[in-house]
């Protein structure tokens, strides 16, 4: 299979960064097209895109209907649908690729014919002052080792071996026929949602994990600093994954893991027993395939609390 890559860049009010992002992609000879989805920008982003399009025919710019702002998931999905390459990679508008971004990916795909995707390390570039805590936390976004595909989901959900980031991911376009597209109902965590689906249904392989192939821009407007959004949407992500897993026939042991993490998040909320009971009832009644399994009994709040109390008293 010829290695042709479509790189998808969603952008909203990215005039400060978009030129650097696009230039970093143009340096990669394996890229056949750069699909930029202007997600309703109201700054000078489109002026920059118009200029760059005149300079290079690889750059293709798309908008949502009526040039609405629909968010990163919808923008990436539009890019996937427009892509003509047989491989897909992503780049956020405030990030950039490093030299030879795809050289090792080609080698790995050629050596592993059944490989569906490759994850690589991504570094950080600060556009604002860096704190002492950030110096220790923001070194490298990576998995500490390549994980066998059968165990990748469990590794990702636990975080035991780290995480990977979307700028370092390259996948066959056919992967989306299996995993589906990005969940447009999620304002954040939409990337984790898709990574975990891919880990459950496809074969992802570790690429370059000890040094970055791309860099994330860290600045005052980063969405990953929005803890308020993550508190809301992380649970929504788990709920979405449970529904998807039930439809896709994912083993109950994997769904059990998702339910466990929801239980922990709900426990931290310290809701009343009635509220928790209603919540868990809604989870299982909205997923009929799970309703008559051991999971609906295991996670019913009264039974779960009794079990934990028994374990505490007699351990």
């Amino acid at each position: 299979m010829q290695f042709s890559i479509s790189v998808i860049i969603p952008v909203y009010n990215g005039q400060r960064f978009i030129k650097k992002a696009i230039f970093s992609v143009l340096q990669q000879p394996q890229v056949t097209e750069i699909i930029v989805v202007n997600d309703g920008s109201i700054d000078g982003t489109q002026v920059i895109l118009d200029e760059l399009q005149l300079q290079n025919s690889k750059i293709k710019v798309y908008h949502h209907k009526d040039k609405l702002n629909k968010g990163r998931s919808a923008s990436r999905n539009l890019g996937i649908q427009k892509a003509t390459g047989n491989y897909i990679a992503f780049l956020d508008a405030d990030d950039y690729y490093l030299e030879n971004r795809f050289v090792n990916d080609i080698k790995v795909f050629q050596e592993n014919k059944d490989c569906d995707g490759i994850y690589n390390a991504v570094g950080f570039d600060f556009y604002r002052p860096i704190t002492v805590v950030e110096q220790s936390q923001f070194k490298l976004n990576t998995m500490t080792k390549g994980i066998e595909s059968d165990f990748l989901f469990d590794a990702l959900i636990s975080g035991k071996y780290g995480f990977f980031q979307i700028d370092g991911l390259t996948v066959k376009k056919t992967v989306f026929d299996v995993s589906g597209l990005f969940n447009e109902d999620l304002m954040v965590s939409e990337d984790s949602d898709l990574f975990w689906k891919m880990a459950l249904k496809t074969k992802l392989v570790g690429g370059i994990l000890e040094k970055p192939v791309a860099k994330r821009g860290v600045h005052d407007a980063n969405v990953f600093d929005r803890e308020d959004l993550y508190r809301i949407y992380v649970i929504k992500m788990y709920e979405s994954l449970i529904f998807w897993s039930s439809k896709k026939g994912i083993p109950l042991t994997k769904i059990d893991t998702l339910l466990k993490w929801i239980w922990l998040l709900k426990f931290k909320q310290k809701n009343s027993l009635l509220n928790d009971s209603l919540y868990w009832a809604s989870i299982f009644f909205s997923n009929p395939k799970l309703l008559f399994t051991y999971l609906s009994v295991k996670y019913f709040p009264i039974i779960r609390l009794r079990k934990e109390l028994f374990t505490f008293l007699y351990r």
Side-chain angles (χ1 to χ4, degrees), residues 166-219:
I166 196 164
D167 294 341
L169 184 69
T170 308
V171 298
K172 294 177 179 176
K173 189 179 182 184
T174 53
V175 162
F176 299 100
D177 297 332
V178 179
S179 67
L181 299 175
F182 287 91
N183 186 339
E184 297 184 14
D185 293 329
L186 299 176
M187 289 185 65
V188 294
S189 296
E190 78 290 342
D191 48 359
S192 295
D193 175 85
L194 188 62
F195 297 162
W196 295 359
K197 289 173 180 175
M198 289 179 179
L200 285 166
K201 293 290 286 185
T202 69
K203 182 177 180 180
L204 301 183
V205 174
I208 298 175
L209 303 178
E210 69 283 355
K211 62 180 181 179
V213 301
K215 288 204 173 183
R216 303 176 67 180
V218 182
H219 49 83

Side-chain angles (χ1 to χ4, degrees), residues 22-23 39 65 73 86 89 92-93 105 107 110 121 224 244 260 306:
I22 291 175
F23 280 171
D39 187 24
K65 185 179 180 180
S73 291
N86 47 30
D92 285 346
D105 285 357
K107 181 180 177 182
Q110 289 174 340
F224 55 76
W244 178 88
K260 179 188 73 175
R306 284 179 177 176

Side-chain angles (χ1 to χ4, degrees), residues 59-77:
I59 303 169
K60 302 174 183 178
V61 180
Y62 296 95
H63 303 264
H64 299 293
K65 185 179 180 180
D66 298 325
K67 296 187 177 180
L68 294 175
N69 171 250
K70 300 187 68 173
R72 291 178 301 176
S73 291
S75 298
R76 289 174 181 150
N77 288 344

Side-chain angles (χ1 to χ4, degrees), residues 124 128 138 216-219 221-227 230:
F124 299 90
R128 59 168 172 75
F138 292 85
R216 303 176 67 180
V218 182
H219 49 83
N222 288 128
V223 71
F224 55 76
D225 289 333
R226 292 287 305 276
E227 293 183 8
Y230 280 94

